[in-house]
Amino acid sequence: MRIKKILANSYPEALTRVKEELGEDALVLKTRSIKFGQEGGGQGASMVEITAAMEDASHPSSVMTIAEEPGAEGSKPLGANRKFLNSSNDDREMRSLIYTLLSQTDRAKSMGLHGEQLHTYQHLVECGIDEHLAARVFETLNENSPDRGLDMTRVADRVGESFHFSGPIRLDAVGPKIVALLGPTGSGKTTTVAKLAARFALLERKKVVLVSLDTFRLGALEQLQIYGDLMRVPVEMATDRNEFLQILNRHQDADLILIDTMGRNPRDEQYVEELKQIFSAAPNLETHLVQSATAQESVFEHSLKQFQPLGVDRIVMTKIDEGMQFGHLYNIASRHSVPFSYFTNGQRVPEDIEVAALEGVIRLIFG
């Protein structure tokens, strides 16, 4: 793409020069009026500047910016002082300006998409997939195939390649499997613990123990105790590492120990450090980050970052039934290698939970 700044005495003159030098299809990015003062305090000349862009077929990936400056006293002919912005900083700034001002279609073309692919590309973006990641999908497909149209099935297959799935919780051959659910307040940790406990205790007839580390939220233990009573499984509470270790020692005959953690703000570094200290009592502990499908992608990213010191082994997506767009799942999968374990889609225990699988993800994203 060729970028040029045109300086002229009036807007009509500047637009005429844009068409002459860049062609009828040139895109006007920015306009502004400039005044130049005269020596002695007199009123200076007024000029206009137009920044325009045009695809350069011979150099599609190059960006050249030319700024025309008048002489110090207006005595030099227009164009006598041309300034080429070749430094990396100027180039980056101009590219950023262009990307911001261009329409979504123009941005897609600038990233290498063909016209026949724009409809499918726009569908991906509307589903919540990041523009750059959506463009990368087509870039990869274009490299491997000359077919510019690309039906939705091939695009969906390419999107699916970025996902990893762990399957259900697998119990250990010897000793209890220990699984902790992490996540921000309101993500659905306690309900998910109950659903998992019901699946293993009631459907698979396994010996399950529930442990609450949530001493912060009022009524947290009582809520978990209600689920425990209904399923006839023991419910324990630990406030520190020693209490947690005692619980583990008491239930060495269990098949599965499920841990419901505190629902405090993950920005609280002390909270994460407290969990790390408690978890040190169980070296083989498996962690599942619980995240609501209704949460913003930035919240998802922040949770992954904040809980990373604990080691995030799996991701559980909750409240699927309340979500509107699911393209952000692809964004997360593309940037992180953490596999998905379960999806939950309602409040019923134990019905509204399923093992995460590719078919379900593609259905969520593409409808």
Side-chain angles (χ1 to χ4, degrees):
M1 179 175 287
R2 188 178 180 220
I3 313 300
K4 191 171 185 179
K5 289 184 179 180
I6 302 294
L7 198 60
N9 294 316
S10 65
Y11 281 109
E13 179 185 342
L15 289 173
T16 299
R17 290 187 54 200
V18 167
K19 294 179 180 179
E20 290 176 351
E21 299 187 29
L22 296 179
E24 293 288 337
D25 295 328
L27 177 69
V28 174
L29 302 178
K30 185 179 180 181
T31 64
R32 66 169 179 158
S33 178
I34 303 175
K35 290 186 177 181
F36 301 98
Q38 289 185 340
E39 294 182 2
Q43 185 174 1
S46 178
M47 306 189 77
V48 297
E49 179 188 80
I50 291 181
T51 303
M54 183 61 187
E55 286 287 348
D56 189 341
S58 60
H59 298 82
S61 62
S62 63
V63 176
M64 179 175 68
T65 304
I66 303 176
E68 298 192 350
E69 298 178 342
E73 298 180 2
S75 59
K76 294 183 180 181
L78 195 63
N81 293 334
R82 287 191 174 185
K83 179 182 180 183
F84 289 82
L85 304 181
N86 291 324
S87 73
S88 59
N89 287 337
D90 289 329
D91 185 63
R92 283 195 297 269
E93 290 175 3
M94 184 55 70
R95 286 177 185 270
S96 177
L97 170 64
I98 296 166
Y99 187 82
T100 301
L101 296 177
L102 291 179
S103 68
Q104 184 185 93
T105 298
D106 290 321
R107 292 199 297 269
K109 289 182 178 179
S110 73
M111 289 185 281
L113 271 72
H114 305 302
E116 302 91 335
Q117 300 168 346
L118 292 178
H119 177 74
T120 307
Y121 166 83
Q122 289 169 351
H123 177 76
L124 296 186
V125 174
E126 288 171 0
C127 290
I129 294 180
D130 176 81
E131 288 187 3
H132 288 285
L133 294 177
R136 193 178 301 167
V137 169
F138 288 94
E139 180 183 358
T140 302
L141 291 173
N142 289 337
E143 290 175 353
N144 299 328
S145 172
D147 180 10
R148 293 186 173 187
L150 297 177
D151 61 80
M152 191 67 77
T153 300
R154 289 186 58 204
V155 174
D157 289 343
R158 176 66 189 90
V159 167
E161 292 175 5
S162 294
F163 284 90
H164 302 279
F165 302 95
S166 65
I169 294 172
R170 293 177 174 83
L171 302 181
D172 293 336
V174 179
K177 176 77 171 187
I178 306 173
V179 177
L181 272 62
L182 314 170
T185 302
S187 61
K189 295 185 298 299
T190 302
T191 305
T192 303
V193 164
K195 291 175 181 178
L196 291 172
R199 284 175 68 96
F200 282 93
L202 303 181
L203 302 182
E204 299 187 24
R205 302 296 180 180
K206 301 298 182 181
K207 189 171 184 180
V208 178
V209 176
L210 303 182
V211 179
S212 176
L213 302 183
D214 191 351
T215 60
F216 185 78
R217 183 167 58 94
L218 185 63
L221 179 61
E222 288 77 6
Q223 182 183 1
L224 200 62
Q225 187 67 59
I226 292 173
Y227 286 126
D229 292 342
L230 292 173
M231 292 180 281
R232 296 183 178 179
V233 301
V235 177
E236 301 268 17
M237 179 174 222
T239 60
D240 56 31
R241 185 184 185 278
N242 289 334
E243 291 183 0
F244 182 57
L245 184 57
Q246 291 173 16
I247 292 171
L248 297 182
N249 291 333
R250 279 200 300 271
H251 296 284
Q252 283 300 303
D253 60 336
D255 297 304
L256 176 64
I257 298 178
L258 291 169
I259 305 166
D260 185 21
T261 60
M262 296 169 281
R264 283 158 60 180
N265 192 328
R267 291 186 178 87
D268 185 348
E269 295 183 2
Q270 182 180 353
Y271 156 61
V272 175
E273 188 59 36
E274 289 174 2
L275 286 179
K276 187 176 181 179
Q277 178 69 18
I278 293 174
F279 290 168
S280 66
N284 296 325
L285 179 143
E286 182 177 284
T287 58
H288 292 236
L289 175 64
V290 180
Q291 188 65 58
S292 169
T294 62
Q296 295 179 351
E297 183 179 339
S298 59
V299 175
F300 204 150
E301 289 283 0
H302 187 81
S303 295
L304 280 167
K305 180 180 178 181
Q306 290 298 319
F307 285 111
Q308 197 57 50
L310 302 176
V312 177
D313 299 314
R314 308 282 190 269
I315 294 174
V316 177
M317 290 301 304
T318 61
K319 306 181 182 180
I320 295 293
D321 54 313
E322 300 177 20
M324 298 295 292
Q325 293 180 332
F326 299 93
H328 67 294
L329 298 183
Y330 174 71
N331 301 340
I332 296 298
S334 297
R335 299 179 185 127
H336 306 276
S337 59
V338 183
F340 291 81
S341 56
Y342 292 94
F343 290 158
T344 75
N345 58 350
Q347 294 295 319
R348 294 182 303 168
V349 177
E351 293 89 349
D352 294 334
I353 187 170
E354 63 183 50
V355 177
L358 179 59
E359 181 181 351
V361 168
I362 297 301
R363 186 171 61 249
L364 287 173
I365 295 177
F366 291 91

